[in-house]
C-alpha cells in the first residue's frame, strides 16, 4: 500500500521503499496534488503553487517536466500497478488516491470518530485521539506551496487543535484532570487566545484543588483578550469563572460521590 505523509516532512512510502522529495518545485507540486485529495488541479493553479509570481520562461514545458519526473518516482514505488497515479489532460493534473492513504485524511477521520464517541465512550475517544495525534511528526506544509497549500495547512492545524480539545474533554470525563495539567499548560502557551484550552485548564486546576491558579488563568487570558483584541472573554468562559468562585457542584470530577475540591 502506498502511503503519503504531509503532517511533518513530506514523504511517500510503499512496500518497495520510500522517497523524500528535496527539490522545492517537486515538493510543491506533490503537496498541491495531495491536499486536493484526488481532485483535478488546473495547470494554472499548479503553476501558481509551484512558482508564484516568479514564472520561468516556458513555464508550461517546465511544469510538464516536473510532472514527468514526479510520476516516475511515484511509479517506482508501485511497480506492480498497471496505471500511473499521476494523470493529466489538457486542463490539468490529478493524483489518484485509490488504494493509497494520506495521513491528514486518516487523522481527520479519526477525529470524527472520536467526536462521536466522546459522550458515551470517553476511553475509546481518548485512545483514538492519542493514536491520531502521534501521526503529527512536525509542522505541516511549512516551507513550500502557495494559496492551496497554505489553506490546507491552516485546515490541518485547526483539525489538530480540535483533536487536542476533544482529547482533553475525554481525559476530564475520565477524571484524569491532574494528569493532563502539563499538556493543558503547553496547549495554552502555544495558543494563548484559545478560550477552550483556557476553560479546560481552569477546570483541571480547580478539580486538582488549585482554585487560585484557575482564577489567575482566567485573569491572564482576559488581559490578553482585552489588550490584543479589544474584546472580553466569552459568556461561557465568564460562567466558568463564576462557577469556580462559588464552588459550583457541577464542576465536580466525574464519579459517584466525588467531592468538590475546596480551597479556603
Amino acid at each position: 500500500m502506498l502511503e503519503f505523509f504531509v503532517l511533518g516532512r513530506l514523504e511517500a512510502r510503499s512496500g518497495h521503499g520510500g522517497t523524500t522529495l528535496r527539490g522545492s518545485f517537486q515538493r510543491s507540486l506533490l503537496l498541491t496534488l495531495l491536499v486536493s485529495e484526488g481532485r483535478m488541479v488546473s495547470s494554472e493553479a499548479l503553476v501558481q503553487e509551484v512558482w508564484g509570481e516568479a514564472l520561468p520562461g516556458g513555464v508550461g514545458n517546465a511544469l510538464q517536466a516536473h510532472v514527468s519526473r514526479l510520476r516516475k518516482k511515484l511509479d517506482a514505488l508501485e511497480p506492480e500497478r498497471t496505471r500511473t497515479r499521476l494523470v493529466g489532460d489538457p486542463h490539468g493534473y490529478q493524483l489518484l488516491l485509490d488504494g493509497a492513504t494520506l495521513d491528514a485524511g486518516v487523522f481527520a477521520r479519526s477525529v470524527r470518530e472520536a467526536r462521536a464517541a466522546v459522550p458515551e465512550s470517553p476511553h475509546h475517544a481518548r485512545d483514538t485521539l492519542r493514536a491520531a495525534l502521534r501521526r503529527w511528526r512536525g509542522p505541516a506544509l511549512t516551507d513550500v506551496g502557495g494559496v492551496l497549500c497554505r489553506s490546507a495547512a491552516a485546515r490541518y492545524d485547526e483539525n489538530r487543535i480540535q483533536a487536542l480539545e476533544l482529547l482533553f474533554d475525554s481525559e476530564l470525563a475520565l477524571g484524569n484532570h491532574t494528569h493532563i495539567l502539563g499538556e493543558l499548560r503547553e496547549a495554552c502557551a502555544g495558543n494563548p487566545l484559545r478560550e477552550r484550552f483556557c476553560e479546560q485548564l481552569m477546570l483541571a486546576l480547580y478539580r486538582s484543588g488549585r482554585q487560585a491558579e484557575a482564577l489567575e488563568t482566567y485573569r491572564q487570558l482576559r488581559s490578553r483578550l482585552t489588550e490584543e483584541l479589544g474584546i472580553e472573554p466569552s459568556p461561557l468562559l465568564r460562567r466558568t469563572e463564576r462557577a469556580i468562585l462559588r464552588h459550583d457542584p457541577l464542576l465536580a470530577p466525574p464519579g459517584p460521590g466525588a467531592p468538590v475540591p475546596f480551597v479556603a
Side-chain angles (χ1 to χ4, degrees):
M1 182 176 68
L2 183 60
E3 298 176 283
F4 293 102
F5 302 87
V6 298
L7 304 180
R9 184 177 62 178
L10 173 63
E11 294 182 45
R13 299 182 206 150
S14 75
H16 297 278
T19 182
T20 300
L21 302 176
R22 303 191 183 281
S24 61
F25 293 152
Q26 286 198 11
R27 289 165 61 210
S28 294
L29 176 61
L30 179 56
L31 282 171
T32 303
L33 292 166
L34 285 172
V35 302
S36 299
E37 299 177 350
R39 296 185 294 273
M40 180 70 69
V41 185
S42 70
S43 297
E44 291 79 7
L46 286 170
V47 165
Q48 285 299 312
E49 291 292 305
V50 173
W51 285 283
E53 300 301 322
L55 300 182
V59 68
N61 290 334
L63 177 61
Q64 290 178 9
H66 283 299
V67 167
S68 179
R69 286 194 284 270
L70 177 58
R71 181 184 290 123
K72 289 178 181 178
K73 291 182 178 181
L74 295 179
D75 288 349
L77 295 176
E78 297 180 290
E80 71 285 351
R81 187 179 169 90
T82 58
R83 185 188 183 194
T84 184
R85 287 192 180 275
L86 183 44
V87 298
D89 66 18
H91 305 290
Y93 296 92
Q94 179 182 15
L95 184 64
L96 304 175
L97 293 176
D98 54 289
T101 63
L102 174 64
D103 61 351
V106 176
F107 180 81
R109 288 192 294 274
S110 296
V111 174
R112 289 195 294 271
E113 176 187 340
R115 188 184 302 279
V118 166
E120 301 298 329
S121 182
H123 280 100
H124 176 65
R126 186 267 313 277
D127 294 344
T128 299
L129 288 163
R130 289 212 177 272
L133 286 162
R134 285 195 292 270
R135 291 184 174 275
W136 281 79
R137 299 162 296 118
L141 319 181
T142 56
D143 60 343
V144 292
V147 173
L148 292 177
C149 287
R150 289 195 296 271
S151 297
R155 184 172 70 252
Y156 295 161
D157 196 53
E158 178 61 25
N159 284 345
R160 183 185 62 82
I161 290 174
Q162 290 183 10
L164 283 170
E165 291 175 342
L166 284 171
L167 172 63
F168 299 142
D169 281 342
S170 302
E171 296 283 21
L172 288 168
L174 293 168
N176 296 332
H177 39 275
T178 302
H179 300 295
I180 61 170
L181 283 174
E183 291 178 282
L184 277 167
R185 291 187 191 279
E186 183 178 351
C188 286
N191 304 271
L193 299 178
R194 192 87 176 188
E195 291 196 15
R196 183 65 181 133
F197 286 147
C198 178
E199 180 195 359
Q200 291 169 320
L201 178 57
M202 290 168 65
L203 180 58
L205 286 167
Y206 178 74
R207 286 181 174 178
S208 300
R210 297 158 75 169
Q211 182 191 27
E213 290 182 57
L215 294 171
E216 179 60 23
T217 296
Y218 172 83
R219 285 191 287 268
Q220 289 177 358
L221 177 60
R222 182 179 183 275
S223 177
R224 283 193 293 269
L225 289 172
T226 55
E227 291 177 6
E228 298 181 27
L229 301 180
I231 62 174
E232 289 290 327
S234 67
L236 177 59
L237 200 60
R238 295 200 297 271
R239 284 198 298 272
T240 301
E241 182 212 20
R242 290 194 297 270
I244 290 173
L245 285 168
R246 66 174 181 266
H247 303 290
D248 193 322
L250 292 176
L251 299 182
V260 179
F262 181 81
V263 179

